[in-house]
């Protein structure tokens, strides 16, 4: 059979050209990318509303509130106190869907004092949530939303390994599904809100960025399982964040399931 070197070379070049993009795509499909794609739909945005009595604010009299109080005292002395000085404070945080029927775990400091809790799912759907219970000692809260279809949820990891890669998914400053990656820097850490005042024990330390608003978001491993829940970042320190271990979340969910089963059998 007659050989055609030019034709052979052309076919070889075409094969190489087609293989290069595929290889490049494989390089981009890292374990982090795969874990984010799996876990991102389970992290929600949480908005809360809380009524605050502004007269309790030490700066109330120096601001417009002082003028409101003076106006009320001059013209409405014989009437009951009005709503002057009350303000609906709104805040943002993150949460993690932990069951297909709409159970969501977040931080107690995000949800416990809220008069209203709103959840925005990654697809934009919004629901008002109810507070199921809190564990203030571990800064955990369990809330519930109701949907017509099962929701994607995160499985809980069995353990955490110091040095393993972890990914933080949250909503810092309201920016939905922001992602950062790092490693587990340590375990069994204690976080102090003020010097010499012990606050929370047995935390995961990570250098994955945890920013304002991503509190309550997920810290996941490369298997796409929940390692912990973002909690706080140390001020004036780079790469020093803390997360609540997933084992504490599992303990809270187990206790809730036990209570729910007891109510059904009662």
């Amino acid at each position: 059979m007659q050989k055609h070197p030019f034709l052979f070379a052309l076919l070889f070049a075409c094969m190489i050209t087609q293989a290069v993009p595929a290889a490049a795509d494989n390089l981009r499909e890292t374990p982090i990318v795969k874990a984010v794609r799996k876990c991102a739909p389970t992290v929600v945005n949480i908005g809360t509303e809380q009524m605050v009595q502004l007269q309790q604010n030490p700066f109330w009299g120096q601001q417009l509130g002082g003028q409101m109080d003076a106006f009320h005292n001059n013209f409405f002395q014989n009437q009951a106190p009005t709503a002057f000085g009350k303000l609906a404070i709104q805040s943002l945080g993150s949460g993690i869907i932990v069951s297909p029927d709409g159970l969501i775990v977040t931080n107690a400091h995000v949800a416990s004092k809220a008069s209203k809790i709103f959840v925005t799912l990654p697809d934009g759907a919004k629901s008002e949530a109810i507070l199921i219970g809190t564990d203030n000692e571990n800064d955990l809260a369990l809330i519930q939303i109701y949907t017509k279809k099962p929701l994607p949820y995160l499985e809980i990891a069995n353990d955490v390994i110091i040095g393993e890669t972890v990914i933080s998914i949250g909503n810092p400053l309201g920016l939905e599904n922001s992602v950062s990656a790092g490693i587990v820097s340590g375990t069994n850490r204690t976080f102090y809100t003020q010097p010499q005042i012990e606050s929370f024990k047995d935390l995961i330390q990570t250098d994955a960025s945890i920013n304002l608003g991503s509190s309550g978001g997920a810290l996941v491993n490369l298997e796409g399982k929940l390692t912990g829940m973002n909690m706080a970042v140390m001020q004036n320190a780079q790469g020093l964040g803390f997360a609540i271990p997933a084992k504490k979340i599992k303990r809270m969910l187990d206790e809730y399931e036990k209570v729910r089963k007891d109510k059904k059998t009662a």
Side-chain angles (χ1 to χ4, degrees), residues 10 25 29 72 75 80 119 140 154 157 171 206 214 251 256:
L10 181 61
D25 287 342
E29 289 283 334
H72 178 268
F75 295 96
V119 171
L140 291 173
L154 271 183
N171 301 286
T206 178
S214 62
R251 188 183 308 141
Y256 170 69

Side-chain angles (χ1 to χ4, degrees), residues 127-147:
S127 300
E128 186 168 355
I130 60 173
L131 181 64
I132 299 296
T134 58
D135 175 3
N136 291 317
E137 182 178 352
N138 292 303
D139 196 25
L140 291 173
L142 193 62
I143 63 176
Q144 173 87 59
I145 61 172
Y146 297 97
T147 61

Side-chain angles (χ1 to χ4, degrees), residues 1-97:
M1 184 176 69
Q2 187 176 4
K3 296 183 179 180
H4 301 279
F6 176 76
L7 180 60
F8 176 78
L10 181 61
L11 289 173
F12 181 75
C14 290
M15 293 173 61
I16 293 296
T17 302
Q18 293 177 358
V20 169
D25 287 342
N26 289 336
L27 288 175
R28 294 171 62 192
E29 289 283 334
T30 65
I32 291 178
V33 170
K34 294 177 181 178
V36 169
R37 186 177 295 134
K38 176 182 177 181
C39 300
T42 69
V43 179
V44 301
N45 185 291
I46 294 181
T48 63
E49 183 176 290
Q50 178 184 359
M51 295 302 297
V52 176
Q53 192 75 24
L54 289 184
Q55 285 93 335
Q56 298 174 0
N57 187 318
F59 300 104
W60 170 256
Q62 302 173 22
Q63 299 171 352
L64 181 60
Q67 300 175 27
M68 288 182 176
D69 287 341
F71 176 81
H72 178 268
N73 292 335
N74 288 334
F75 295 96
F76 302 98
Q77 294 180 1
N78 298 323
Q79 296 185 20
T82 70
F84 288 150
K86 289 185 177 180
L87 184 65
I89 300 296
Q90 297 179 338
S91 62
L92 293 175
S94 305
I96 308 161
I97 304 173

Side-chain angles (χ1 to χ4, degrees), residues 213-240:
S214 62
S215 182
L219 190 71
V220 301
N221 61 24
L222 293 183
E223 293 179 338
K225 294 183 178 181
L226 184 64
T227 299
M229 184 173 69
N230 298 335
M231 181 184 177
V233 62
M234 185 69 73
Q235 296 296 324
N236 302 319
Q238 294 183 357
L240 194 58

Side-chain angles (χ1 to χ4, degrees), residues 146-166:
Y146 297 97
T147 61
K148 295 181 180 179
K149 59 181 181 179
L151 297 174
Y153 66 98
L154 271 183
E155 296 181 35
I156 294 177
N158 293 323
D159 59 3
V160 57
I161 305 171
I162 295 177
E164 72 171 313
T165 298
V166 285

Side-chain angles (χ1 to χ4, degrees), residues 13 19 38 46 58 61 104 110 121 137 142 157 180 184 199 207 211 218-219 236 245-246 258:
K38 176 182 177 181
I46 294 181
I104 297 171
V110 170
L121 299 175
E137 182 178 352
L142 193 62
S180 61
V184 173
S199 295
D207 64 352
N211 300 299
L219 190 71
N236 302 319
K258 183 178 182 301

